[in-house]
Amino acid sequence: MTKWVRFRKDGAIGFGTIAQSEIAVRDGEMFGANKLTGQTLQLGDVELLSPCAPGKIIGLWNNFRALAAKLDQSIPPEPLYFLKATTSVAAHGAVVNRPASYDGKVVYEGELGIVIGKRASNISEADAASHIFGYTCVNDITAADILNRDPSFPQWTRAKSFDGFGPFGPAIATGLDPMALSIRTILNGAERQNYPVADMIFAPARLVSLLSHDMTLEPGDLICCGTSVGVGVMKEPVNAVTIAIEGIGELHNEFRQTAKA
């Protein structure tokens, strides 16, 4: 298993692989040809960025059996998804501020993220694994009261696309079996979510295949696989949120109720 990160050092953006607290810097393209430069950096000496810069972010709704049962939702015959603005991206460690234009409930959603590594268009499920670069931790933050504010039009994209509402990272892990993973969400020190990827309705390979028949997936695109039971509101003035997936890492962020000036 390898963990890939992207970072800023002395004003320049770079990438590499990380082991414990040391980054082995690489040159080239993360999703193409690259090689070790021989340089190593300490994690504490760089600013971690989101591990890639997605060209698009796709989010899933109703993709876990346990949550479907709790909400009395039928199992969908095909993926139900929305697009999330790429300007919502936030890095590990970033502070996310309440939008000045919104005073309603804001919820966390701990999720597995799929990062595409090779262009995918109309691919089969059997071929999908070769198009997946790896997996990451996602917090699909949502302005819940906006979703159904207008009964004529569910506002998925708006509710999920405020600046900072798309933290993911800290790394992209390759060489692991996603179906063996579990996603945990810890809010202010208390575990709120703990659910297995194996409960997913559309597993990663199937999901990537089906989405590739709707739109071309490009290297760096992020697919947020949807969440399960335990979603809740971030109520405190300062909320510490961790999305933890063993084998990938822990994504730490703060959500603050005070809007950024």
Side-chain angles (χ1 to χ4, degrees):
M1 184 178 62
T2 305
K3 295 181 181 181
W4 297 77
V5 295
R6 201 167 57 104
F7 60 85
R8 182 181 288 113
K9 170 74 171 173
D10 298 329
I13 294 175
F15 74 98
T17 55
I18 187 168
Q20 297 180 331
S21 61
E22 190 170 84
I23 300 170
V25 180
R26 302 186 76 93
D27 187 39
E29 300 291 335
M30 182 181 292
F31 306 113
N34 61 73
K35 62 182 180 180
L36 289 166
T37 65
Q39 181 185 16
T40 58
L41 297 171
Q42 293 301 307
L43 182 59
D45 294 334
V46 304
E47 174 193 357
L48 273 188
L49 305 175
S50 61
C52 66
K56 57 181 168 288
I57 303 172
I58 301 169
L60 270 289
W61 158 246
N62 194 16
N63 195 33
F64 282 85
R65 292 177 179 84
L67 185 59
K70 180 179 179 180
L71 299 179
D72 197 25
Q73 296 280 338
S74 60
I75 300 298
E78 57 188 7
L80 305 177
Y81 64 89
F82 53 87
L83 293 178
K84 184 167 177 133
T86 56
T87 47
S88 71
V89 167
H92 168 76
V95 172
V96 181
N97 293 283
R98 169 179 290 278
S101 61
Y102 174 72
D103 61 3
K105 296 176 183 177
V106 178
V107 303
Y108 57 82
E109 296 184 16
E111 304 186 5
L112 176 71
I114 302 169
V115 178
I116 299 298
K118 184 170 69 173
R119 190 174 188 269
S121 179
N122 297 309
I123 63 170
S124 68
E125 184 175 350
D127 289 339
S130 67
H131 294 260
I132 296 173
F133 182 74
Y135 300 90
T136 191
C137 306
V138 175
N139 187 0
D140 183 19
I141 300 174
T142 306
D145 293 346
I146 285 177
L147 269 175
N148 297 301
R149 176 182 287 173
D150 187 325
S152 71
F153 185 78
Q155 298 185 76
W156 287 95
T157 296
R158 182 183 175 199
K160 292 174 175 286
S161 291
F162 287 102
D163 289 356
F165 274 31
F168 75 100
I172 305 168
T174 63
L176 47 70
D177 175 11
M179 301 309 291
L181 303 176
S182 291
I183 295 95
R184 298 171 60 233
T185 301
I186 299 96
L187 175 67
N188 298 322
E191 183 177 276
R192 299 295 187 177
Q193 292 186 290
N194 190 336
Y195 65 92
V197 172
D199 188 49
M200 197 178 287
I201 295 167
F202 298 99
R206 178 67 173 155
L207 182 55
V208 168
S209 171
L210 290 170
L211 290 174
S212 79
H213 285 77
D214 290 349
M215 65 184 77
T216 299
L217 303 174
E218 299 286 357
D221 284 351
L222 175 64
I223 301 169
C224 308
C225 291
T227 198
S228 190
V229 294
V231 169
V233 180
M234 296 181 284
K235 299 177 180 179
E236 300 301 321
V238 177
N239 299 269
V241 187
T242 297
I243 313 301
I245 305 177
E246 187 175 358
I248 298 176
E250 296 186 354
L251 171 68
H252 301 293
N253 294 97
E254 280 188 0
F255 174 74
R256 296 182 179 176
Q257 301 291 353
T258 304
K260 188 176 180 179

